[in-house]
Amino acid sequence: SIGANAAFINNKVVTLVEGSFLASRLYGRPNQEISRTYVGNPIATFYGWRADGLFQNQAEIDSHADQPGAVPGDVRFIDLNNDNVIDDKDREIIGSPHPKMTYGINSNMSYKGFDLTMFFLGVAGVEIFNADRMQGLDASYPFNLYSEITDRWTGEGTSNEIPRVSTLRTNLNHRTSDLFIESGDFLRLKVLTIGYTL
């Protein structure tokens, strides 16, 4: 026998008591917003910039919207409002921490004296803001860095995902952006029971 169930989540804020939005900030970085709550959207949606790879050379910086402090190897952010300047006005909703669906699958099988029971649990349509990875790639903190820092940009064409290492925050490479948004979808085997009847 096989059984399944699913729950679909539609999360929408219908009113705020005051202000046009509510912001939540990253612990230890009081000036860095992680999410905003707007009327008409799910509560606490991730809010930030959209990344478009890394600047590989000075010519790419010169032909891009004005991005103060950027040098080759820094993250290139998208000029969403087309005003030719990268600033706070170029932020938007970049993800949601709420799954669109949660589901489960269970099965029971038997053959002669043997029996097998399995239960799977899954989540779909959820995103995670990986703040740990954001800090693990930021050399301005006095902590160990992620091992993937070895794949960082070290010269033209070496990387288009992990920015150069610097203790300075001139370009704010590690600001809230979709560079640190990851899929949280999973399907996990929660229970597995094998038996034999004597």
Side-chain angles (χ1 to χ4, degrees), residues 34 45-50 92-97 126-131 133-134 175-184:
I34 294 296
T45 48
F46 300 127
Y47 186 78
W49 287 266
R50 295 223 177 253
E92 67 176 1
I93 292 172
I94 56 175
S96 173
V126 64
E127 290 155 320
I128 296 169
F129 181 79
N130 193 339
R133 180 174 182 267
M134 178 191 66
R175 65 181 87 179
T176 304
S177 74
D178 61 352
L179 191 63
F180 305 106
I181 298 289
E182 302 173 359
S183 171

Side-chain angles (χ1 to χ4, degrees), residues 140-161:
S140 67
Y141 280 92
F143 309 119
N144 289 336
L145 298 174
Y146 270 34
S147 62
E148 66 180 298
I149 202 75
T150 57
D151 297 325
R152 69 192 180 279
W153 187 93
T154 56
E156 189 167 345
T158 54
S159 176
N160 200 36
E161 296 179 5

Side-chain angles (χ1 to χ4, degrees), residues 56-189:
Q56 297 297 318
N57 50 53
Q58 187 61 43
E60 290 185 2
I61 296 172
D62 295 341
S63 64
H64 187 259
D66 182 33
Q67 191 168 309
V71 299
D74 281 340
V75 179
R76 177 175 49 229
F77 296 103
I78 297 174
D79 182 16
L80 292 178
N81 64 352
N82 295 313
D83 66 354
N84 210 34
V85 177
I86 303 299
D87 56 19
D88 286 352
K89 296 174 185 174
D90 293 304
R91 293 181 294 170
E92 67 176 1
I93 292 172
I94 56 175
S96 173
H98 309 289
K100 291 182 172 63
M101 179 179 70
T102 60
Y103 60 95
I105 303 168
N106 59 67
S107 66
N108 296 290
M109 294 173 260
S110 61
Y111 177 73
K112 295 188 177 178
F114 293 95
D115 60 84
L116 173 66
T117 301
M118 292 184 292
F119 172 64
F120 295 88
L121 174 67
V123 172
V126 64
E127 290 155 320
I128 296 169
F129 181 79
N130 193 339
D132 187 69
R133 180 174 182 267
M134 178 191 66
Q135 190 157 306
L137 296 177
D138 187 351
S140 67
Y141 280 92
F143 309 119
N144 289 336
L145 298 174
Y146 270 34
S147 62
E148 66 180 298
I149 202 75
T150 57
D151 297 325
R152 69 192 180 279
W153 187 93
T154 56
E156 189 167 345
T158 54
S159 176
N160 200 36
E161 296 179 5
I162 301 175
R164 67 188 179 92
V165 170
S166 174
T167 57
L168 305 176
R169 294 181 178 173
T170 53
N171 186 57
L172 298 176
N173 286 322
H174 305 93
R175 65 181 87 179
T176 304
S177 74
D178 61 352
L179 191 63
F180 305 106
I181 298 289
E182 302 173 359
S183 171
D185 296 359
F186 69 85
L187 174 62
R188 179 179 300 144
L189 176 62

